[in-house]
Amino acid sequence: MASGRTHGTVTLALTIPTGFAIYSIGGAEAGLAAATGCLVGLFIDPDLDISNRTRSEARVLRMFPALGWLWMVLWWPYAKAIPHRHPLSHWPIIGTAGRLLYLSVILFLALMGLEVAFGIGAQILEALLTVPYEIWASFAFGLAVSDVGHWLFDQF
Ligand SMILES: [Zn+2]
């Protein structure tokens, strides 16, 4: 089983090739979205199923101190609900889809709160929905590539 540092290195190594692969198929915006999705794997990784502070959570704390604790609180229910290395968090595709679904629900609830409090949640949601499907799909693909790298290196 690889360390958090190794997983981070694998994700970084996969970012540029993933971006170029999708760029060659779907163009610059899709390639950039795929590379970004892969890079986001440094922060949204399968090990968020661990209750203690993970390397990815420590990364968020270090890079975005104000948001780091909120990020850890946000993933606490996920860590409590899913045992470490469970198929729901670690299997390719399933784990990625589960984390994206989890974040989508939280984002939707946050936007509802923003709508009720400040009347801006619906505007933000509309802006997000104007992003073409191919860009979201490329982003998700990049994140899935990072997660596959994580899964492969967890086997050793
Ligand atoms: Zn893992």
Side-chain angles (χ1 to χ4, degrees):
M1 283 155 260
S3 68
R5 179 182 293 268
T6 301
H7 287 310
T9 302
V10 170
T11 291
L12 285 174
L14 290 170
T15 295
I16 300 298
T18 301
F20 272 115
I22 297 304
Y23 165 75
S24 69
I25 298 169
E29 289 179 344
L32 186 61
T36 302
C38 192
L39 201 59
V40 164
L42 290 172
F43 308 105
I44 305 172
D45 76 352
D47 285 343
L48 287 167
D49 63 5
I50 297 173
S51 293
N52 298 331
R53 186 187 308 177
T54 66
R55 192 155 192 103
S56 66
E57 288 170 326
R59 225 175 253 129
V60 174
L61 267 173
R62 197 172 49 249
M63 295 176 76
F64 313 101
L67 294 175
W69 291 103
L70 178 63
W71 187 251
M72 288 177 60
V73 168
L74 191 142
W75 286 100
W76 185 82
Y78 182 87
K80 285 295 175 192
I82 301 176
H84 185 43
R85 293 203 180 89
H86 190 274
L88 286 175
S89 63
H90 271 66
W91 279 12
I93 311 301
I94 293 172
T96 308
R99 277 183 295 287
L100 288 176
L101 180 65
Y102 183 81
L103 278 177
S104 297
V105 169
I106 288 172
L107 177 65
F108 183 75
L109 292 174
L111 290 176
M112 282 179 51
L114 285 174
E115 182 62 26
V116 170
F118 307 108
I120 59 171
Q123 285 176 300
I124 295 171
L125 181 60
E126 283 177 31
L128 289 172
L129 292 175
T130 62
V131 175
Y133 167 79
E134 294 80 18
I135 299 302
W136 288 118
S138 297
F139 176 87
F141 177 81
L143 184 59
V145 168
S146 170
D147 288 347
V148 167
H150 184 109
W151 176 77
L152 282 173
F153 275 77
D154 263 354
Q155 309 304 312
F156 306 113

